[in-house]
Structure formats: C-alpha cells, structure tokens
Amino acid sequence: MTWSLFPVRRPVAPGQRPPMAPGLPSPGPMDPPRTLPERRRGDWDGVDFPQEIPDSVVNWGWYVDGTRQDCESLAEATAHALADEGFVWLGLHDPDDEDMAGLARRFNLHPLAIEDAVEGHTRSKLEQFGRTLFLVVSTVAYVPQRERPETSEIVTTGQIMVFVGTGFVMTVRRGSQTSLKRLRKSMEKHPDRLLHGPASVLYGVLDTVVDDYQQVVGDFEDDVDEVEAAVFSSEGAHEVEQIYQIKRELIEFKRAVAPLGVPLHNLATRPYRAIPPEAQAYFREVADHHTEAREAIQSYDEVLSTILAASLNRLSVGQNEDMRKISAFVAIAAVPTLIAGIYGMNFDNMPELHYVYGYFILWGVIIALMGTLFVLFRRNNWL
C-alpha cells in the first residue's frame, strides 16, 4: 500500500524543519538549557519515570509536528507531551509484568488492557478505556518450506497491542512477526506521516499488518497452485497429506485475519477521541485491503476443499482400478486351479484320465481358457 496519510495541517517548505510547538523554545548555541513546561491536567500524569528504561522498551521517541526531537530522558519527553507539545511513541517487545505495571501507573492504563498486553490475546479487538484507545491486532508470518519445523508449520502468529492516548502511543509486540522498526524509520523519514500524532502511528501499524496479510496470501497462492498442479497432473500424484496441511494452516491464518474486520469497521465509522474525523477515510482504505485478504483466504479454502475431494476421488478410482486388475488375475488363475482341483479327486471314471495325450490336451484347454479371459479383460480395460 502507498502512504498517503491524513491532510497536512501545517505546510512546510522543502528542506525547512517544521517549527517547534508553541511554548517550546528552540535552544541556540548560547542559550541556556531548555526548561520543561508546566504540565497540564489530563488522563495521565507521567510521574516517576525512571532514568533507566526497561529492556523491553526497544525504542522510544518524542515527536513534534512529525519530527523526532532530541531529548535526554523519557521523563522529559513525557513532560513536553503532557504540555500539548507533540507526543511520545514507545515501542516494547515481550514486556514482563513488572515493566507493564510501571508503564500502566504512569500512563493510567486499564488493568484489563495490561493483562492482554502481558499474556497476549488470541483475537483482534478494539476497546475504549476512558481517553485511551486499546487495539489488539494479530500478526502473521509465512514460513518457507526449507525453514519449516518438524510440525510443518506454514504460518506463525503473534500480536501487536497499541495504546493510543492523549499525547502518547505505545506499541507492544508479542512474537517475532511484523517488526515495527522499519515502520518507525519510514515514518521518521517522512514527517508528514506523523503530523496527526498517535492516530498516524495507529494507521501505520494497521497498514503494515494488513500488508503482511496480503503478502502471506500471495505465498499461500503459490502453495495452492503447486498442489493443484500435482493432483491434476498426468501422473495423478496423491498429495492428500500436503493438502490437509495447507488447509489446516489456512484455517489458522483465517482465525488471525478475520477478527480484525470489526475493529477496522469501527475505526472507519465510529468517532473516537484519539482519531481525527478526517482520518476515518484512511482507515476505510485499510479495511478494504483487509477485506480483499479475507476474501482471498476464503476462496483458497474452498479451492483446497475441491482439490482435496478431487484427490480423494482419484485415489478411490485408482484403488478400484487396482481391485479390478487383481480380480481379473484371480479369475485367470482360477482356471488351472479349478481343473487341477477336479482332476485331483482321484475318481476312476474321469474323461481322458487314461488317455495317452490327456495331459497335453488338458494343458491346451487351460492355456486356451486363460488366454480367452485375458483378452476379454483387456478389452474391458480391466488389465
């Protein structure tokens, strides 16, 4: 998807750095150190930020008018964000209970949202806690055939939790899927993508995740085409196990993708304090791409069901053909068995029993009957 984020609120001439927010002095070489502005009252206070940032915080930044600002500490950055001077973006990866508990106190996060962030959540969802918007989105990654483990796992899943509040956005990533490092770098290179604050980051995360969905859909398409060609080839290979494996993983992929439809619909249609009204059109765009991916998954599921049924039918037909061949050979072999059984009864009055050429005549009859049955079965495609 191409980036075409929300309308720019403050046009900036090419090569010119966006101006600092009102009340935030621009320090010169001889100016005294910048002083923190007075904090306003809000839904969070940012108190007691430690000087040492937890290891789970992989990156953080303070942004004003879309541009990342130099800042000595997270405490200073949050103080400026509390004064309506830009916003803070924290990125966490697999935080523990202690890390999330500390951030929850400082950003006034709801305990239920913190529980989902620590333990993970299996379904995508969107909830509003006071002024904080909480989003859970499932992430997926395709595993190439050469890297698949013994369990033959085709897709791996994870989660990204996003807290969007007044002056801050926090992304919590669970698993190794959908790294946000590239997203942050891309948005920092284009400050106009961050002009609308936390809502811009939320849009960027959803756009990246849905792009990954579409990439995995394309990888699944290759797998489906491969098994389809194998099943309907002239050799008629039976790929039942592989088809079932792909179908099982496709169902898991569908479980990760489908629930995101409701949160995207709500972001595109319902008003939220953290989402500017003009941003809803862009969330509708993400929702459209998500619908395309979901419909593609559904179509592949139906195609795999058809291929599986066709493969089972071909396998059944092949087994029937084998049984006909076996039956034909049994019938041919029954001729000498029958004749030998009759002449092995040791009766005295039997035709040609004491005839000089009886042995040879009997062999001739056996060969003639077996040859006749072979020709008949061959004409009927039993052999």
Side-chain angles (χ1 to χ4, degrees):
M1 264 179 267
T2 58
W3 274 93
S4 178
L5 205 55
F6 322 132
V8 179
R9 293 181 299 178
R10 302 182 184 181
V12 180
Q16 180 181 357
R17 181 175 177 177
M20 303 296 287
L24 184 64
S26 300
M30 302 301 293
D31 293 337
R34 178 188 297 153
T35 58
L36 296 179
E38 182 180 357
R39 295 175 178 175
R40 61 170 174 78
R41 293 182 59 86
D43 56 329
W44 61 286
D45 51 23
V47 297
D48 299 330
F49 268 98
Q51 296 298 323
E52 295 184 1
I53 302 176
D55 294 336
S56 58
V57 179
V58 295
N59 202 343
W60 67 272
W62 168 42
Y63 302 87
V64 177
D65 292 330
T67 302
R68 185 165 183 166
Q69 307 295 320
D70 295 332
C71 196
E72 296 181 357
S73 66
L74 184 58
E76 179 183 352
T78 53
H80 287 292
L82 281 167
D84 282 334
E85 296 171 349
F87 70 97
V88 175
W89 177 4
L90 286 86
L92 292 84
H93 185 214
D94 291 333
D96 55 22
D97 295 347
E98 183 178 356
D99 293 345
M100 288 306 302
L103 293 173
R105 291 192 302 269
R106 297 171 183 111
F107 287 101
N108 192 24
L109 304 179
H110 197 276
L112 293 178
I114 293 301
E115 181 181 355
D116 286 338
V118 173
E119 299 180 359
H121 197 277
T122 57
R123 291 177 58 88
S124 299
K125 65 176 183 178
L126 179 68
E127 295 184 352
Q128 179 84 39
F129 296 106
R131 296 185 179 181
T132 303
L133 195 64
F134 176 61
L135 172 70
V136 179
V137 55
S138 297
T139 58
V140 295
Y142 180 82
V143 181
Q145 291 186 1
R146 63 181 181 275
E147 300 177 4
R148 291 174 187 172
E150 297 179 356
T151 57
S152 300
E153 193 175 36
I154 299 178
V155 293
T156 59
T157 59
Q159 293 88 33
I160 293 179
M161 279 68 70
V162 185
F163 298 86
V164 181
T166 305
F168 79 93
V169 57
M170 184 189 307
T171 56
V172 181
R173 188 162 59 95
R174 290 288 178 185
S176 58
Q177 302 82 5
T178 313
S179 174
L180 299 179
K181 182 178 180 181
R182 184 180 302 177
L183 172 65
R184 186 187 288 265
K185 288 184 177 180
S186 176
M187 298 184 77
E188 289 178 353
K189 288 181 181 179
H190 303 84
D192 57 302
R193 301 178 183 176
L194 290 168
L195 280 179
H196 283 266
S200 303
V201 178
L202 179 63
Y203 170 82
V205 171
L206 289 171
D207 185 63
T208 302
V209 171
V210 174
D211 279 347
D212 287 347
Y213 288 171
Q214 294 182 321
Q215 178 63 42
V216 176
V217 166
D219 295 329
F220 264 105
E221 182 179 7
D222 296 337
D223 288 342
V224 172
D225 292 341
E226 180 180 346
V227 297
E228 184 178 13
V231 169
F232 294 101
S233 64
S234 57
E235 293 81 6
H238 304 301
E239 304 289 342
V240 177
E241 182 178 353
Q242 185 179 2
I243 297 172
Y244 177 77
Q245 172 191 347
I246 297 176
K247 187 175 178 62
R248 180 192 63 190
E249 293 295 307
L250 191 65
I251 292 175
E252 181 179 355
F253 182 29
K254 182 179 179 180
R255 289 175 179 172
V257 173
L260 184 58
V262 174
L264 287 175
H265 175 75
N266 291 338
L267 288 171
T269 58
R270 295 178 56 183
Y272 292 99
R273 293 182 179 179
I275 307 299
E278 62 270 20
Q280 291 183 333
Y282 297 91
F283 288 106
R284 284 197 295 270
E285 179 192 11
V286 179
D288 291 340
H289 288 281
H290 174 267
T291 301
E292 293 176 3
R294 186 177 57 189
E295 291 177 350
I297 295 172
Q298 182 65 31
S299 65
Y300 293 154
D301 189 22
E302 295 175 357
V303 169
L304 283 174
S305 298
T306 304
I307 295 175
L308 182 59
S311 180
L312 292 175
N313 288 335
R314 294 196 65 172
L315 181 61
S316 178
V317 170
Q319 291 175 345
N320 291 336
E321 291 178 353
D322 293 339
M323 289 301 298
R324 286 193 301 179
K325 291 180 180 180
I326 295 173
S327 300
F329 281 115
V330 169
I332 295 173
V335 173
T337 303
L338 176 63
I339 295 176
I342 293 175
Y343 275 85
M345 295 180 184
N346 295 325
F347 290 109
D348 291 333
N349 298 321
M350 296 185 70
E352 312 299 337
L353 184 61
H354 300 287
Y355 187 62
V356 178
Y357 300 101
Y359 174 77
F360 303 101
I361 294 174
L362 187 61
W363 267 113
V365 173
I366 292 175
I367 293 174
L369 291 175
M370 292 178 66
T372 301
L373 289 175
F374 180 82
V375 172
L376 292 175
F377 288 140
R378 192 64 178 267
R379 287 181 178 178
N380 292 318
N381 296 323
W382 281 48
L383 292 175

